[in-house]
Amino acid sequence: MAEENLVYDIRYTSVVSGRIAGEDRAHELTAMDLAMKFHQIRGLYFFSNAAAQGMLADDFKKPMFQWLIPYFNVCGRIRTSKTGRPFIKLNDAGVRIIEARSSKTIDEWLAMKDGSLDDKLIYIDAHDGDELSFTPLVYIQITWFKCGGISMGLSWAHALGDVFSASAFMNGLTQFLQDQHPPKPLLMPDPPEPHCSRSIAAKAHSLKRVNPVGNTWATASSCKMAKHTFHFTSKQLDQINSSIIQAPDPEFRSFELILAIIWKFIANIRKNSSKEPKIVTICKNQIKSKDRKTMIPHNGLEISTIEVKYSIVEADIMKLATSVVNETTKENAKIEEIVEERNSGGRTSRS
């Protein structure tokens, strides 16, 4: 079957919150939000026939009116103040829902083992920037498979919140569709810790400057990327730990060891290209997962970098892991200062 016929009968609707946000309300974007404005977070969830329980489009959309009440900011649209600083106007425009069907069963889809085809189950044209002020911040694509199972594809503007916020939104939504208990009001996250002003000449390795794009919020990239997920069982993590660390050490967690292993593998792949990766960016959740469920979506990642001077290829895993533990530099404050400097027009006057 031709690739373009794998997903068909595509329809578009919007779902709004069951409660009006009010007149002239706005959600201010933090510096960290603005640092992420060129990015989208995408997720894909599969549900078997037994889990889907014959769910129809209305079974999904009608409960969302209530679910979106505490998630008022995801229903807004990006606007720009008179001073040039972007913000989210809470105009109750809603989230975009895409309904589609597939000629495959879920098992047949997964058996194709072509990750690029998953883009057909996620609305990948989201946030293309042609009309930023009218572009939804959240798209959810529901695809019904021949077997009765479904998939939910999420496209989420990173300016709304990080991957943990997006995950909490979707996990909470699927739970709500099952029990439909009234959602609780969400709490605002704590504001970023104040930091002393310093020269922004200090480079933030985790940021890359792009050419001005105006209000499109879209930038071309020649970098080809593919996604891959590593799954580790508890037994495998114990084996990794015991094979590298001879004696238990509370400083070293599985995360640091796996990071060091992947870092070394990438260095070995690139060793003949004279592009050994000496700088690595690390993103970690600063907030407990259970707290994410009770908070307004936001960008709460701890972003840090590590730069080493020695050869990654020749270093052993323990040396790399030790550097990750002891030589990592947090960059949140640098990022916030750089972004604020470039959006220094203020937050008060809007258009």
Side-chain angles (χ1 to χ4, degrees):
M1 180 173 289
E3 181 178 309
E4 59 268 20
N5 293 327
L6 289 174
V7 176
Y8 63 96
D9 195 17
I10 300 173
R11 304 177 183 183
Y12 302 86
T13 56
S14 293
V15 177
V16 299
S17 169
R19 182 180 300 164
I20 297 174
E23 292 288 334
D24 197 30
R25 291 189 61 197
H27 176 75
E28 302 287 359
L29 295 173
T30 68
M32 193 59 68
D33 296 334
L34 294 175
M36 306 297 175
K37 70 180 186 179
F38 292 128
H39 302 274
Q40 294 85 46
I41 295 171
R42 297 187 176 111
L44 182 58
Y45 303 75
F46 289 95
F47 299 88
S48 67
N49 182 20
Q53 299 179 343
M55 187 179 76
L56 302 176
D58 283 349
D59 297 328
F60 176 82
K61 291 188 288 188
K62 286 183 178 179
M64 282 199 72
F65 290 108
Q66 188 175 19
W67 172 249
L68 289 172
I69 290 175
Y71 283 98
F72 54 87
N73 57 332
V74 309
C75 296
R77 297 292 184 266
I78 299 296
R79 296 290 190 270
T80 304
S81 71
K82 293 178 180 178
T83 58
R85 187 184 181 95
F87 64 95
I88 298 176
K89 183 174 179 60
L90 304 181
N91 58 2
D92 303 307
V95 303
R96 187 64 45 81
I97 306 297
I98 298 92
E99 305 165 39
R101 297 190 176 278
S102 174
S103 58
K104 299 288 186 180
T105 66
I106 289 180
D107 288 340
E108 289 171 342
W109 187 281
L110 297 176
M112 290 188 290
K113 296 181 178 180
D114 185 350
S116 66
L117 293 177
D118 289 345
D119 288 342
K120 293 184 174 296
L121 305 178
I122 307 171
Y123 190 69
I124 60 172
D125 292 331
H127 323 301
D128 58 7
D130 290 340
E131 290 289 345
L132 181 62
S133 61
F134 298 102
T135 301
L137 300 175
V138 174
Y139 291 76
I140 300 177
Q141 178 174 329
I142 313 168
T143 304
W144 279 264
F145 290 86
K146 188 171 62 174
C147 60
I150 63 172
S151 68
M152 290 188 187
L154 172 71
S155 185
W156 171 281
H158 206 324
L160 269 178
D162 55 37
V163 64
F164 294 100
S165 288
S167 178
F169 175 84
M170 287 299 290
N171 291 340
L173 173 58
T174 54
Q175 182 63 43
F176 177 72
L177 291 174
Q178 294 178 40
D179 56 41
Q180 297 195 21
H181 291 158
K184 297 180 180 179
L186 299 177
L187 304 175
M188 293 297 293
D190 294 331
E193 294 182 4
H195 53 273
C196 297
S197 178
R198 58 180 176 274
S199 171
I200 62 173
K203 184 177 180 180
H205 291 295
S206 56
L207 282 186
K208 179 181 179 181
R209 185 159 190 174
V210 298
N211 294 325
V213 295
N215 290 324
T216 62
W217 281 26
T219 179
S221 174
S222 59
C223 179
K224 295 183 178 180
M225 301 180 67
K227 53 184 178 291
H228 186 78
T229 303
F230 295 93
H231 297 276
F232 296 95
T233 65
S234 298
K235 184 177 180 180
Q236 289 172 325
L237 292 176
D238 290 340
Q239 290 174 340
I240 292 173
N241 292 346
S242 60
S243 66
I244 299 174
I245 303 175
Q246 302 305 316
D249 189 333
E251 280 195 341
F252 294 96
R253 302 173 301 168
S254 298
F255 175 80
E256 284 79 15
L257 296 176
I258 293 172
L259 191 157
I261 292 170
I262 295 175
W263 193 358
K264 187 172 177 66
F265 280 157
I266 293 174
N268 275 303
I269 293 171
R270 295 183 179 180
K271 65 182 179 181
N272 295 325
S273 64
S274 301
K275 293 182 179 180
E276 199 177 48
K278 295 293 185 72
I279 302 176
V280 169
T281 299
I282 304 170
C283 301
K284 294 194 294 185
N285 188 15
Q286 297 187 91
I287 303 168
K288 294 180 180 178
S289 296
K290 64 179 182 180
D291 294 334
R292 287 284 187 162
K293 300 176 183 178
T294 66
M295 303 178 76
I296 292 288
H298 66 288
N299 282 289
L301 289 179
E302 176 187 290
I303 300 177
S304 56
T305 58
I306 174 173
E307 181 177 13
V308 298
K309 303 299 182 183
Y310 53 79
S311 171
I312 309 299
V313 173
E314 296 176 3
D316 59 38
I317 300 297
M318 192 63 185
K319 183 176 182 179
L320 281 173
T322 301
S323 293
V324 172
V325 171
N326 298 325
E327 300 174 30
T328 299
T329 302
K330 295 181 181 179
E331 294 204 337
N332 288 59
K334 289 182 182 179
I335 294 171
E336 289 165 5
E337 188 169 358
I338 291 171
V339 173
E340 288 291 1
E341 178 71 17
R342 293 170 186 171
N343 291 272
S344 57
R347 304 186 180 203
T348 55
S349 179
R350 302 191 184 98
S351 58

